[in-house]
Amino acid sequence: MAAAAVDSAMEVVPALAEEAAPEVAGLSCLVNLPGEVLEYILCCGSLTAADIGRVSSTCRRLRELCQSSGKVWKEQFRVRWPSLMKHYSPTDYVNWLEEYKVRQKAGLEARKIVASFSKRFFSEHVLPSSELHYLLRKALTWKYYAKKILYYLRQQKILNNLKAFLQQPDDYESYLEGAVYIDQYCNPLSDISLKDIQAQIDSIVELVCKTLRGINSRHPSLAFKAGESSMIMEIELQSQVLDAMNYVLYDQLKFKGNRMDYYNALNLYMHQVLIRRTGIPISMSLLYLTIARQLGVPLEPVNFPSHFLLRWCQGAEGATLDIFDYIYIDAFGKGKQLTVKECEYLIGQHVTAALYGVVNVKKVLQRMVGNLLSLGKREGIDQSYQLLRDSLDLYLAMYPDQVQLLLLQARLYFHLGIWPEKVLDILQHIQTLDPGQHGAVGYLVQHTLEHIERKKEEVGVEVKLRSDEKHRDVCYSIGLIMKHKRYGYNCVIYGWDPTCMMGHEWIRNMNVHSLPHGHHQPFYNVLVEDGSCRYAAQENLEYNVEPQEISHPDVGRYFSEFTGTHYIPNAELEIRYPEDLEFVYETVQNIYSAKKENIDE
């Protein structure tokens, strides 16, 4: 119907214009059309935002049709940013013109950041949609750096939101909101929102209410409306809620503590806890606490050593209470209710009464981030130490003057060879906070300054030519999909050395001397399908007869395209290995074309 109206309207306009006198043709003819038809014309998709701006400045009638909160600007916004429409409620008043301006301004700021990156990877002009579609399928390097930019921009916004959240008064007890900020910061490219997580929890609450109705059809929690924060005082009624919760969470939905894979960061991300229905004590406790409070049971978080717990008051309101007036709930252990003695038995040690006390939101988040920090230090596969970097950022956002963590952050950046100016800023801050750290600070300052000077003196990258006599034993080339003979993993080569270039300790630890050719053979830098980066001996690699894409986050850092048989190096990698591509084509022709001919026969 709408399309037909637009088509007919577009046919009527020129016809009327031909019949009208020259002075009234065009604009006067247009504004005499019915408002609905004019709106369809303005929303037809052929007009840009600049066109709408010009149209709205011609006369009062068109200005009213193009009002900032109307359908015309809403359609402009929808066409420009379709994926953002889900964040706007149909019932809310929205100034679509202002929203358009804000998003447009953010886009321009993002382009400034893009412009500061290498021109090898970015263009300053806006690509047509057809070319962009091609690039999204092919240009792996573009996508790699685009994700880096998006990762950074989103993290900055989330960190600002978290800092504002931490400024709330101590009685602001939205534990879930704080946990979601941590989740978002560590997973900035995922679509995670408090609204969506709360909706999932609300659906669990509905199931609990259904079960509770079978226990007590007159239970006051059943009358609670969404968003209410009323609390039930009667212990028996609270107990009925907890019984219903335990049945729904652990029997019906099969939530459980993750004992098999306890040291996994996913156990701390609330959206993953809800998806995988498992977690560790602190994340399971926050889920349990949120549901209980929505149903009127005033549980409180307890920062118990080695095992986060919740406490449930059994004493009379207003009475002087001690630790024995509470029951302690283990959400990790299927909601089991514990006495003080059983809590100590759980961790195998006696603890002071102070450790049974309730903690505020900031302390809960500190423990969550502390767990992530411990996992980040254990990180073995991800050589970028992204989890450690993220958890340090979060911890220092809460406690910016933690000298040991600032020193760890400086050492990490120095180790990774990134952001030397930031390293110097951190070290200066440490020296101000604790002059006693001058030894460690001085060492890092000296080596960071040397690193900056070396970067200035660099004249170019090392170029490795296959035709060079010292590279005669190198059999494989960058971009080839390989398979490890011993461990069976698939990988892609992104670098090679004529002999092993690692230190003696690494050679000893990896037992390289046990190989028939030892370390006197070519070694290859490879991106492995499990997300790791490895250094493999030539005798341990073989061609993968069924090459597939390697799912590794750094593929786009080195390659621009996957052809179906091999990866094509980007401009930067090709400069380092200028002769490899010719060898790749020759290998692909010999290996995969021969295989295809055998299959056809």
Side-chain angles (χ1 to χ4, degrees):
M1 179 71 179
V6 171
D7 292 341
S8 60
M10 297 303 284
E11 292 170 0
V12 166
V13 172
L16 289 175
E18 289 176 3
E19 296 175 4
E23 64 273 14
V24 297
L27 179 61
S28 61
C29 168
L30 185 67
V31 296
N32 287 329
L33 291 171
E36 183 181 356
V37 174
L38 275 174
E39 200 170 62
Y40 278 131
I41 293 172
L42 295 172
C43 294
C44 70
S46 300
L47 301 177
T48 66
D51 294 331
I52 297 300
R54 285 190 287 267
V55 166
S56 63
S57 64
T58 55
C59 67
R60 181 183 297 176
R61 177 112 195 277
L62 291 175
R63 185 166 60 252
E64 291 173 351
L65 278 169
C66 299
Q67 58 181 303
S68 58
S69 59
K71 184 177 179 181
V72 175
W73 277 110
K74 180 179 180 180
E75 182 63 14
Q76 284 290 323
F77 188 94
R78 186 196 67 78
V79 170
R80 181 68 180 81
W81 299 285
S83 62
L84 297 180
M85 293 302 293
K86 63 184 178 182
H87 299 294
Y88 296 91
S89 171
T91 59
D92 291 344
Y93 171 84
V94 179
N95 188 322
W96 293 107
L97 175 56
E98 285 304 312
E99 291 292 305
Y100 192 102
K101 290 178 179 178
V102 168
R103 298 292 176 183
Q104 186 76 1
K105 182 179 178 182
L108 292 173
E109 291 175 357
R111 286 181 65 185
K112 289 180 182 178
I113 296 175
V114 171
S116 69
F117 282 71
S118 171
K119 293 295 188 295
R120 289 194 300 274
F121 305 128
F122 298 104
S123 169
E124 294 183 359
H125 68 278
V126 178
L127 298 168
S129 58
S130 58
E131 187 179 347
L132 182 60
H133 178 68
Y134 171 80
L135 287 170
L136 290 175
R137 288 186 294 112
K138 299 289 186 180
L140 300 178
T141 301
W142 280 63
K143 289 194 285 186
Y144 172 80
Y145 283 100
K147 283 185 177 180
K148 288 286 185 184
I149 295 169
L150 185 60
Y151 197 102
Y152 171 79
L153 291 175
R154 285 188 174 178
Q155 279 199 327
Q156 294 309 300
K157 180 181 178 182
I158 295 163
L159 200 62
N160 289 335
N161 291 341
L162 175 61
K163 289 177 179 178
F165 172 80
L166 293 171
Q167 297 303 313
Q168 300 284 351
D170 289 341
D171 58 354
Y172 185 75
E173 296 186 334
S174 181
Y175 299 94
L176 181 65
E177 184 179 351
V180 170
Y181 282 132
I182 292 173
D183 191 349
Q184 290 174 328
Y185 191 81
C186 294
N187 303 281
L189 299 182
S190 300
D191 191 9
I192 302 165
S193 70
L194 177 62
K195 181 179 178 181
D196 289 343
I197 289 177
Q198 185 62 62
Q200 293 179 64
I201 291 176
D202 289 344
S203 66
I204 297 175
V205 170
E206 289 179 12
L207 291 175
V208 174
C209 287
K210 185 177 180 181
T211 300
L212 187 59
R213 195 171 286 109
I215 298 173
N216 180 357
S217 61
R218 296 177 178 272
H219 197 285
S221 294
L222 300 174
F224 287 174
K225 295 180 180 179
E228 283 188 353
S229 58
S230 302
M231 291 296 162
I232 301 166
M233 294 297 106
E234 294 83 354
I235 299 297
E236 179 59 31
L237 293 176
Q238 293 178 7
S239 180
Q240 290 174 358
V241 171
L242 297 182
D243 288 342
M245 281 177 56
N246 289 342
Y247 170 75
V248 170
L249 283 173
Y250 304 112
D251 295 334
Q252 187 175 347
L253 298 179
K254 306 299 181 184
F255 276 85
K256 62 180 180 180
N258 194 349
R259 301 179 189 276
M260 299 297 294
D261 191 18
Y262 191 90
Y263 297 104
N264 187 331
L266 298 181
N267 293 322
L268 284 151
Y269 304 146
M270 294 308 297
H271 84 284
Q272 288 290 348
V273 171
L274 290 166
I275 291 171
R276 300 160 72 235
R277 300 189 180 183
T278 189
I280 59 174
I282 190 167
S283 56
M284 295 290 287
S285 292
L286 290 186
L287 175 62
Y288 199 99
L289 172 72
T290 303
I291 296 171
R293 287 193 169 194
Q294 283 189 219
L295 292 168
V297 182
L299 300 185
E300 298 173 302
V302 176
N303 208 9
F304 204 64
S306 304
H307 200 102
F308 201 88
L309 296 171
L310 301 171
R311 72 179 191 181
W312 174 28
C313 183
Q314 303 293 296
E317 185 179 2
T320 302
L321 304 174
D322 60 27
I323 61 174
F324 298 100
D325 291 312
Y326 293 89
I327 286 177
Y328 300 88
I329 297 176
D330 180 13
F332 182 81
K334 296 190 174 182
K336 185 177 180 181
Q337 298 177 6
L338 308 171
T339 63
V340 169
K341 186 175 181 180
E342 289 171 328
C343 289
E344 294 180 349
Y345 180 78
L346 180 67
I347 63 171
Q349 67 181 81
H350 174 73
V351 297
T352 61
L355 295 175
Y356 289 90
V358 66
V359 288
N360 61 19
V361 174
K362 191 172 182 178
K363 288 293 184 183
V364 173
L365 299 187
Q366 179 187 1
R367 178 143 176 183
M368 291 190 81
V369 175
N371 287 339
L372 288 171
L373 193 58
S374 297
L375 293 175
K377 292 176 182 178
R378 296 161 58 110
E379 224 167 28
I381 292 178
D382 182 6
Q383 295 182 352
S384 70
Y385 294 94
Q386 191 62 58
L387 179 58
L388 181 56
R389 291 157 62 183
D390 291 344
S391 52
L392 280 170
D393 289 343
L394 289 167
Y395 209 106
L396 290 169
M398 293 186 284
Y399 301 98
D401 296 335
Q402 286 281 333
V403 171
Q404 292 305 315
L405 292 184
L406 285 167
L407 196 56
L408 175 59
Q409 188 178 56
R411 284 173 173 157
L412 178 61
Y413 286 159
F414 176 77
H415 168 74
L416 295 173
I418 58 175
W419 217 350
E421 294 77 15
K422 176 68 172 178
V423 173
L424 293 177
D425 289 343
I426 296 171
L427 294 173
Q428 184 178 9
H429 184 46
I430 294 171
Q431 188 65 31
T432 303
L433 293 172
D434 184 4
Q437 296 289 337
H438 65 274
V441 169
Y443 174 85
L444 284 172
V445 167
Q446 177 185 344
H447 285 79
T448 301
L449 291 173
E450 290 175 358
H451 171 75
I452 293 173
E453 289 303 315
R454 284 196 303 271
K455 294 291 285 184
K456 291 179 181 178
E457 294 171 1
E458 286 180 359
V459 294
V461 297
E462 180 187 5
V463 176
K464 296 181 179 181
L465 301 174
R466 287 291 296 272
S467 58
D468 195 318
E469 177 61 22
K470 64 182 180 181
H471 300 151
R472 65 183 182 276
D473 294 330
V474 176
C475 294
Y476 307 130
S477 305
I478 58 168
L480 288 175
I481 309 297
M482 309 299 290
K483 193 177 188 69
H484 198 279
K485 294 178 182 178
R486 182 176 179 184
Y487 299 118
Y489 60 71
N490 298 316
C491 58
V492 57
I493 297 172
Y494 70 95
W496 50 257
D497 297 309
T499 60
C500 182
M501 301 300 290
M502 301 299 281
H504 295 297
E505 184 178 353
W506 185 90
I507 290 173
R508 184 176 64 253
N509 292 339
M510 301 304 293
N511 203 22
V512 173
H513 291 302
S514 67
L515 297 172
H517 295 90
H519 68 284
H520 297 296
Q521 62 174 311
F523 271 70
Y524 297 84
N525 300 102
V526 295
L527 302 176
V528 184
E529 56 192 347
D530 65 1
S532 64
C533 304
R534 304 192 188 186
Y535 197 49
Q538 180 166 281
E539 65 183 72
N540 282 336
L541 295 176
E542 62 183 356
Y543 296 117
N544 190 324
V545 294
E546 296 181 352
Q548 295 180 343
E549 284 192 80
I550 302 299
S551 180
H552 191 286
D554 285 344
V555 162
R557 181 178 179 181
Y558 305 103
F559 303 103
S560 61
E561 180 182 344
F562 178 65
T563 66
T565 57
H566 63 281
Y567 281 92
I568 296 177
N570 60 26
E572 190 173 35
L573 190 62
E574 193 171 2
I575 289 172
R576 297 183 61 192
Y577 300 90
E579 297 177 350
D580 271 42
L581 198 54
E582 181 181 345
F583 283 87
V584 169
Y585 290 143
E586 183 180 334
T587 301
V588 169
Q589 183 69 25
N590 293 336
I591 301 297
Y592 303 118
S593 297
K595 180 192 172 190
K596 186 176 185 301
E597 289 173 4
N598 292 335
I599 293 173
D600 292 340
E601 291 175 1

